[in-house]
Amino acid sequence: MCYFEQTRWACGYWKWGNFRQQCNKEYRTGETCGLKLVYDTSYLDGVCKICDQITKKDRRYRKMEQDIQRWQHEGNRRATIEKTTKDMADLNIQIGALYHSHQEKQRSIC
Ligand SMILES: [Zn+2]
């Protein structure tokens, strides 16, 4: 068991930081035994990069939604609507994947 710093965001996401202290099972200098323990946690006020990306993609998604509604009223925008609908589906998958990796990380709290 070796000790590492940990960073934790307000949204619950966390990551390992610098290696701090070796345990007595590991005798090789500079090596770690593979089992990580928290030495110290620094808490950040903001949300993590993943949340940031989700927010941005979500904003784009909503904008596309509004665009499509507008185009439907305007008429003659069928090709654009089809393309945007596809983009929205892609975006939806991306958001889902980001959300999933965030959930996984939160669940693996040590
Ligand atoms: Zn987050």
Side-chain angles (χ1 to χ4, degrees):
M1 302 156 290
C2 292
Y3 296 86
F4 287 78
E5 282 172 8
Q6 192 192 48
T7 306
R8 199 179 280 271
W9 284 265
C11 61
Y13 194 85
W14 60 272
K15 74 167 172 69
W16 291 113
N18 294 328
F19 170 59
R20 285 303 292 264
Q21 200 180 301
Q22 221 172 14
C23 64
N24 48 22
K25 279 188 189 148
E26 184 56 66
Y27 51 88
R28 294 167 294 177
T29 314
E31 298 287 318
T32 62
C33 66
L35 196 69
K36 290 180 171 182
L37 286 181
V38 178
Y39 179 85
D40 194 19
T41 307
S42 31
Y43 292 92
L44 298 179
D45 283 336
V47 293
C48 72
K49 271 185 191 160
I50 293 180
C51 283
D52 223 35
Q53 278 180 301
I54 291 174
T55 312
K56 274 182 199 149
K57 285 182 195 287
D58 192 57
R59 209 176 291 148
R60 251 174 69 203
Y61 188 89
R62 278 162 213 270
K63 182 161 181 309
M64 285 176 179
E65 221 169 31
Q66 285 168 4
D67 285 346
I68 286 177
Q69 275 177 7
R70 204 181 58 238
W71 292 330
Q72 275 166 346
H73 286 293
E74 285 173 7
N76 252 343
R77 300 298 288 265
R78 204 185 158 128
T80 319
I81 290 171
E82 265 174 28
K83 196 200 164 291
T84 309
T85 307
K86 262 186 211 147
D87 289 348
M88 279 173 78
D90 283 349
L91 214 58
N92 208 3
I93 291 167
Q94 287 172 29
I95 293 170
L98 284 168
Y99 188 73
H100 184 75
S101 66
H102 198 285
Q103 291 281 93
E104 285 288 289
K105 193 77 179 186
Q106 270 172 293
R107 216 173 293 140
S108 65
I109 271 168
C110 49

